Amino acid sequence: MSPDVLCLGETMALLAPSPGEPLQPGSALTLGVGGAESNTAVALRGAGVDAAWAGLLGDDPLGDVVAGFLAARDVDISLHERRPLPTGLYVKATGPDGTVRPLYYRRGSAGSTMDAALARRWAQAATPRIVHVSGITAQISEAGAQFLHAVCVDRVFGEALLSFDVNHRPALAGPATPGTLRHLARASDVVFVGADEAQTTWGVAADDIPRHLSGPRHLVVKDAGADASEYGPDGTVRVTAGPATIVDAVGAGDAFAAGWLAALIAGTDAAGRLSEGHRQAARVLASAGDVAPAAERAATGASVQWCGERPSPHAR
């Protein structure tokens, strides 16, 4: 198995009311699928990139829903495994101000048992060019933190380019500390982080993020709907986000990462990578789901050939 991008992490079943509607008795809920890493894999496939997802699902009907959803979107799920545990679940609740609040039910889930041994086994079975993970895995369980340490620090996938989305989730209140997330980010090649997220997680202002997260070859800082900046080989490049219709913001950051990675694979420069990130994020913002509608395909066509920088040995 050698996809261009292998995304690793927990994916859950999702229950959501109609946009803007509160949870209450008699509410109509739509059954969907959500997970930061699989959201990115779906968006990558929509952009024509050879993408795969691996995670642990419960041996239950919700696990069937997740697997079927991803397979229907042409994401390679051949590495995923099932466990005699429940599949994780999250519910979207709309607050009084209209913002969406996720309610997680993932303690004791199959996905929470991902550990370092599993990372090593998958690394023996796959040779991706890029591995994409997020800090969420370390915030779910101690086993998840060990899984990410094996991927990001021990580099069990060898020369694969390592992409890390910080994705701090205070609602999880898991074992990962801000220091843990910083350590994982600094060990990675590509890092995505929100400016507000850095302030909340580390108390770091936007201008100080490059110093605080020194180490990655590409550091991408997103400032909500305003702009995004890349600090890397091309120096500092900033691209303003265009106007967007916002139905539901959940999943937009995952789509941004997919757009950026797809553009990297296609050999696009920093400005082009950021622009494609904004474009993919806007598609999800305009959708009620965590991913854009499956019928839409990116302008790049059915497939993207590898033209970006080649992975190189990670010397630290």
Side-chain angles (χ1 to χ4, degrees):
M1 181 188 182
S2 54
D4 282 337
V5 185
L6 173 61
C7 302
L8 306 172
E10 182 178 30
T11 297
M12 301 161 288
L14 160 66
L15 289 175
S18 299
E21 294 296 320
L23 286 175
Q24 58 186 9
S27 293
L29 299 177
T30 299
L31 177 62
V33 169
E37 302 83 3
S38 60
N39 291 346
T40 298
V42 169
L44 283 165
R45 284 303 298 136
V49 174
D50 179 16
W53 168 83
L56 297 181
L57 297 174
D59 190 12
D60 56 17
L62 291 183
D64 296 339
V65 169
V66 171
F69 177 91
L70 296 177
R73 282 150 183 80
D74 205 23
V75 174
D76 185 339
I77 61 170
S78 57
L79 273 186
H80 97 281
E81 301 177 24
R82 309 293 284 267
R83 293 284 188 271
L85 294 167
T87 298
L89 172 70
Y90 92 98
V91 179
K92 288 184 177 180
T94 303
D97 60 353
T99 59
V100 176
R101 175 192 173 200
L103 305 174
Y104 297 116
Y105 302 91
R106 60 204 310 179
R107 182 174 299 174
S109 69
S112 71
T113 65
M114 293 171 60
D115 58 15
L118 181 66
R120 296 189 187 97
R121 187 164 76 251
W122 282 342
Q124 293 175 348
T127 55
R129 298 176 188 264
I130 297 174
V131 173
H132 178 75
V133 293
S134 90
I136 291 175
T137 303
Q139 297 167 77
I140 298 171
S141 64
E142 184 58 44
Q146 295 169 5
F147 176 93
L148 281 191
H149 190 279
V151 174
C152 299
V153 180
D154 296 341
R155 305 297 288 230
V156 294
F157 283 91
E159 297 183 6
L161 203 71
L162 202 291
S163 169
F164 179 78
D165 195 337
V166 173
N167 267 332
H168 183 215
R169 294 289 187 269
L172 288 175
T177 66
T180 301
L181 297 176
R182 181 189 181 205
H183 182 57
L184 294 169
R186 295 186 70 172
S188 302
D189 300 310
V190 178
V191 171
F192 300 95
V193 65
D196 56 346
E197 180 179 40
Q199 179 65 50
T200 300
T201 307
W202 302 294
V204 175
D207 291 343
D208 291 331
I209 295 174
R211 175 189 56 79
H212 191 75
L213 296 182
S214 60
R217 178 174 174 81
H218 302 275
L219 173 62
V220 180
V221 179
K222 302 165 291 179
D223 189 3
D227 57 41
S229 301
E230 180 179 334
Y231 302 86
D234 297 335
T236 302
V237 178
R238 179 174 287 106
V239 173
T240 301
T245 300
I246 302 178
V247 175
D248 185 346
V250 178
D254 308 324
F256 184 101
W260 191 97
L261 291 171
L264 176 74
I265 290 170
T268 308
D269 62 12
R273 293 191 289 267
L274 295 172
S275 295
E276 184 61 13
H278 285 313
R279 193 174 78 84
Q280 292 290 349
R283 296 178 64 227
V284 173
L285 287 170
S287 169
D290 288 11
V291 297
E296 297 183 30
R297 288 293 237 180
T300 48
S303 64
V304 172
Q305 299 299 315
W306 186 277
C307 301
E309 62 181 65
R310 295 283 177 173
S312 58
H314 190 87
R316 291 195 179 278

